[in-house]
Amino acid sequence: MTLDIGSTLVYIHGDSMCMETTNTIEEWARDKRVTLMSVSLANLDDFLTTVTNTIIQKNKISIYRKQLNFIVICERTSDCLSGITDMVSDKDRRYGKRALFRHFSKWLFVHPYQATSLPRAIDTEIDNVAFAIKLILSQVQNQNSSSFTCTHVMTLQWTSTGREWTRIGEPCSVTNTSTSYISIFPNARRGLNGRKLTIVVLEWVDYCKKVQSPKLHPVTYTHVCRDLFDSLAAFLNFSYVFIEPSVTSWGKRLPNASWSGLLGMIARNEADLSGVPFGITMERSTVVTYSYMIQFSAYRVLYKKPKDEETAWLSLLSCFSLEVYLYGICAILWCMGLFKVMEEIDVGPRDVGYRRKPPCSSTTMLSIIIAIQVPLRQGLSYLPRKLPSRVFYTFWWFFCIVITSVYMGNLISILAVVREKVPFKNLEELATNTEFSLSVPRGSYIEDAVKHSNDSIMKALWKKAVASRTTEIVSSLNEHQEFIKLLRSGNHALIEVETVIAAIEQEIKDLRVMKGIVINIGLSLPFPLNSPLADLFSEKLMLLYDNGMLDGWTKKWSTNKQEIHDTSTHVKQLTIAKLQSALVACAAGIILAACILGTELIIKRLRRT
């Protein structure tokens, strides 16, 4: 019989070894260049404890399959099978995360002597168990009875009613054929062999949605988590059930070094894995083992659009800054003085004359009229008398045309295009903003990153977030509703992952996302610390990620069909509020004209009297 078992074989025997069997195994090990370890049944318990604590930390399935191969010399068939498998199952529950020996070890029990009957089936969780025995069979030919020895190799198969022995190959022909080690253990090719896994979940935006029905038990969830584990179950041959933690929170480290919430159940081995991905942190890595990353996202800052507090009647003055207006007034005053000087200098016969005499002979009044009328695009019915004055007048027109065109363009954009007030443009401005409070989800990746950061800005953000926590919220669902309430009230910012932001934007209008990201994040499924299932699942998760299935499921269940950031320009109709400045100017003109008219009437009446 040819066995392909990898690099290590553990030979387990009783106190009195069968030398013939022992020599055969040692010769086979030397021929196959396999490391042979000999362990007595009396020392098996301590040996399994040492091996489990050592090998499980490597967290590699390939290592498990190479080193967890056992051949047991079993003299008392029934006691040997049940006793050793019970011991192995106990070690697996205590140290092997209920998976190491169950799915990745192989056990071949050999009866060293001839026997008259097959062993009875045993009820064990260990997948790969086989038995080799020499049976003494009798046959009758021509009324003469005779007996002969026949070697049987059987494997313990899973059935709907329990475990049953199944013969490998034809009886009495095993010694003449090549039976590989993997063929002796067909369960090794069947994944988890129908095992039911316990998966702990919580509702998380579009990734995992709870089906609200009192008739459904156990807990039922849909969306991405359901599609993902249906695919994994078909590939790895297992069934699963969703459960919820007693404390509906993601989990955080408590003062006594234990963990609460969902992560607490994983850390205490109360569930086989989490159905919701988590960000990887150093603190979490001390109690859980992560799978291959299945999702990449980023944390951003979400806030509600602040109310526009600009004074509407100042719209006509908001085209330029105060500095531009001051320079404009200086240019007008300079124009008045320069034009007056040019008009009053007598250069003799070089005067070009004018077509029409100005209405006022005062050059002072003429210079004022030119300096004011030209910016208002009002022409004159006469030309200056001097040639330098005409040249200056022409270029003053060119200057005013450019300035007024820019002014009109700015005014149109201000009145017609939405211009939002941005309360902060980066994290530094958010940290120093006294009007906005800040929230960070409890037990989240971003909380751990901000809390333990050495960056001064992150430290300021953490102080701001702690100051905003007025009450201790245990439930993650209640905390989410509290965030919704704070965002609706305004003057509040929330640092959340993009998938959650997309869901919140469906509930609240006028939300804005700050440009730039706070921090990138990769999400993975947490398993109990050093769980062998983490490496087993990672292979399939890698395939699902590479072929686009995970991304397809995310888009399938996403409620946000558009990008988070919309950079398009919104044009809206003009309202009366935007024209208040023009109305104010008109009203001021009417009031001033009425005052002048009233003054003139009073003066006229006084003259008559």
Side-chain angles (χ1 to χ4, degrees):
M1 181 169 58
T2 303
L3 304 178
D4 183 12
I5 61 169
S7 60
T8 303
L9 176 65
V10 180
Y11 171 39
I12 303 173
H13 53 81
D15 294 334
S16 58
M17 295 187 297
C18 177
M19 296 307 299
E20 180 182 358
T21 304
T22 302
N23 293 335
T24 302
I25 294 176
E26 290 178 350
E27 181 179 354
W28 179 88
R30 286 193 301 269
D31 181 60
K32 296 299 181 180
R33 297 181 180 179
V34 172
T35 302
L36 183 65
M37 300 177 62
S38 180
V39 181
S40 66
L41 286 174
N43 299 326
L44 181 60
D45 187 280
D46 295 336
F47 175 79
L48 291 178
T49 301
T50 303
V51 169
T52 305
N53 293 331
T54 302
I55 198 174
I56 199 170
Q57 297 180 10
K58 299 179 180 180
N59 202 22
K60 288 292 182 182
I61 293 179
S62 59
I63 297 178
Y64 304 154
R65 288 173 174 166
K66 288 181 179 179
Q67 298 187 7
L68 297 180
N69 304 287
F70 302 87
I71 290 183
V72 184
I73 303 301
C74 208
E75 299 180 5
R76 291 182 298 178
T77 304
S78 300
D79 296 340
C80 179
L81 280 172
S82 59
I84 291 181
T85 53
D86 289 346
M87 180 191 301
V88 173
S89 297
D90 179 66
K91 297 296 181 184
D92 205 41
R93 285 189 293 268
R94 294 170 61 184
Y95 310 111
K97 312 299 179 182
R98 297 179 298 180
L100 180 63
F101 287 108
R102 178 171 182 172
H103 302 299
F104 305 108
S105 67
K106 300 182 182 71
W107 295 81
L108 175 59
F109 293 85
V110 179
H111 194 284
Y113 307 113
Q114 297 176 353
T116 58
S117 63
L118 294 173
R120 67 177 184 273
I122 58 175
D123 185 17
T124 179
E125 295 180 345
I126 308 302
D127 286 341
N128 304 303
V129 177
F131 197 91
I133 189 171
K134 292 181 180 181
L135 291 180
I136 302 176
L137 303 179
S138 61
Q139 61 179 1
V140 177
Q141 292 184 352
N142 299 326
Q143 297 182 353
N144 295 322
S145 61
S146 61
S147 61
F148 63 97
T149 301
C150 185
T151 301
H152 286 256
V153 178
M154 297 168 294
T155 186
L156 199 59
Q157 294 275 44
W158 286 97
T159 65
S160 58
T161 58
R163 306 298 297 272
E164 291 183 0
W165 288 113
T166 301
R167 183 181 292 112
I168 299 297
E170 295 296 329
C172 300
S173 61
V174 172
T175 57
N176 299 323
T177 60
S178 177
T179 305
S180 67
Y181 198 70
I182 191 64
S183 65
I184 294 178
F185 300 104
N187 291 335
R189 303 193 303 266
R190 298 169 184 169
L192 299 181
N193 290 281
R195 174 182 175 179
K196 178 177 283 189
L197 297 181
T198 302
I199 303 175
V200 57
V201 294
L202 279 177
E203 195 169 20
W204 187 51
V205 291
D206 296 330
Y207 185 87
C208 215
K209 284 286 186 180
K210 186 176 181 179
V211 178
Q212 300 292 341
S213 176
K215 298 181 180 180
L216 295 177
H217 185 79
V219 180
T220 302
Y221 280 81
T222 61
H223 287 50
V224 178
C225 63
R226 171 65 66 178
D227 292 339
L228 172 61
F229 285 103
D230 283 347
S231 177
L232 291 172
F235 183 80
L236 297 175
N237 187 22
F238 69 87
S239 62
Y240 64 92
V241 59
F242 285 135
I243 62 172
E244 294 177 334
S246 56
V247 179
T248 55
S249 67
W250 300 116
K252 63 179 181 179
R253 188 170 184 173
L254 302 176
N256 60 359
S258 64
W259 285 72
S260 63
L262 190 151
L263 285 177
M265 293 190 65
I266 301 295
R268 295 188 297 271
N269 294 318
E270 296 175 2
D272 295 303
L273 73 154
S274 167
V276 182
F278 278 70
I280 301 175
T281 66
M282 290 297 296
E283 190 175 41
R284 292 174 179 173
S285 298
T286 60
V287 293
V288 300
T289 295
Y290 289 97
S291 69
Y292 181 81
M293 289 187 182
I294 64 173
Q295 190 175 0
F296 295 89
S297 187
Y299 277 97
R300 298 181 183 271
V301 179
L302 180 67
Y303 63 94
K304 188 175 182 180
K305 172 189 172 184
K307 296 180 180 180
D308 190 2
E309 298 180 354
E310 289 187 0
T311 306
W313 63 272
L314 291 178
S315 297
L316 289 178
L317 299 178
S318 59
C319 299
F320 292 139
S321 63
L322 179 61
E323 183 182 17
V324 176
Y325 286 115
L326 293 177
Y327 279 113
I329 294 174
C330 293
I332 291 175
L333 296 176
W334 176 77
C335 173
M336 292 179 184
L338 185 59
F339 188 81
K340 176 178 174 62
V341 172
M342 288 183 178
E343 283 293 290
E344 290 183 351
I345 293 178
D346 186 8
V347 295
R350 293 189 180 183
D351 291 355
V352 295
Y354 47 87
R355 294 175 298 175
R356 180 178 177 185
K357 185 178 180 181
C360 179
S361 59
S362 172
T363 56
T364 301
M365 183 58 67
L366 182 62
S367 63
I368 294 174
I369 293 174
I370 289 178
I372 295 177
Q373 281 188 338
V374 172
L376 297 178
R377 295 192 175 185
Q378 300 297 319
L380 299 176
S381 58
Y382 56 90
L383 293 175
R385 294 178 302 168
K386 309 291 184 177
L387 181 60
S389 301
R390 293 186 179 186
V391 174
F392 174 77
Y393 178 68
T394 301
F395 281 93
W396 176 242
W397 258 105
F398 290 156
F399 173 78
C400 291
I401 287 174
V402 173
I403 295 299
T404 54
S405 297
V406 173
Y407 175 86
M408 293 175 64
N410 286 346
L411 182 61
I412 292 173
S413 64
I414 290 173
L415 296 178
V417 180
V418 177
R419 186 179 63 176
E420 295 183 2
K421 178 183 177 182
V422 180
F424 44 83
K425 298 180 181 179
N426 49 51
L427 295 177
E428 184 176 2
E429 293 183 5
L430 173 60
T432 57
N433 191 304
T434 58
E435 297 179 357
F436 272 74
S437 55
L438 177 66
S439 288
V440 175
R442 291 175 171 86
S444 63
Y445 175 84
I446 189 62
E447 182 190 48
D448 188 79
V450 175
K451 181 179 180 180
H452 298 97
S453 175
N454 292 324
D455 184 73
S456 58
I457 297 177
M458 289 297 185
K459 290 182 178 180
L461 290 176
W462 176 245
K463 291 181 180 179
K464 196 179 186 74
V466 172
S468 301
R469 293 181 176 179
T470 55
T471 58
E472 181 65 26
I473 300 177
V474 178
S475 172
S476 297
L477 181 60
N478 294 340
E479 184 182 46
H480 181 75
Q481 296 301 324
E482 181 68 18
F483 292 156
I484 297 293
K485 179 180 178 181
L486 292 173
L487 287 173
R488 280 200 175 102
S489 64
N491 290 343
H492 187 80
L494 171 65
I495 302 180
E496 257 295 6
V497 72
E498 288 177 334
T499 51
V500 179
I501 288 177
I504 294 178
E505 285 184 321
Q506 304 300 316
E507 300 185 40
I508 307 177
K509 296 181 179 180
D510 296 330
L511 290 181
R512 298 294 182 266
V513 179
M514 187 188 77
K515 290 185 178 180
I517 63 173
V518 180
I519 191 172
N520 288 310
I521 181 176
L523 303 175
S524 303
L525 296 178
F527 291 76
L529 186 63
N530 296 325
S531 172
L533 296 179
D535 194 33
L536 180 66
F537 274 67
S538 292
E539 180 181 355
K540 176 59 176 176
L541 291 172
M542 189 183 303
L543 293 175
L544 293 176
Y545 181 83
D546 291 343
N547 63 24
M549 292 298 295
L550 288 171
D551 186 55
W553 291 328
T554 301
K555 292 180 179 179
K556 169 187 174 182
W557 295 105
S558 176
T559 56
N560 184 41
K561 304 303 180 182
Q562 298 179 352
E563 296 291 334
I564 293 179
H565 301 286
D566 189 1
T567 57
S568 60
T569 302
H570 300 278
V571 180
K572 65 178 183 179
Q573 296 178 342
L574 292 178
T575 60
I576 193 65
K578 287 292 185 180
L579 300 177
Q580 283 185 5
S581 54
L583 297 177
V584 169
C586 182
I590 293 174
I591 294 173
L592 181 60
C595 292
I596 295 175
L597 178 61
T599 302
E600 291 179 346
L601 292 176
I602 293 174
I603 294 174
K604 183 178 180 181
R605 181 173 297 179
L606 291 175
R607 287 178 179 176
R608 288 181 180 179
T609 57

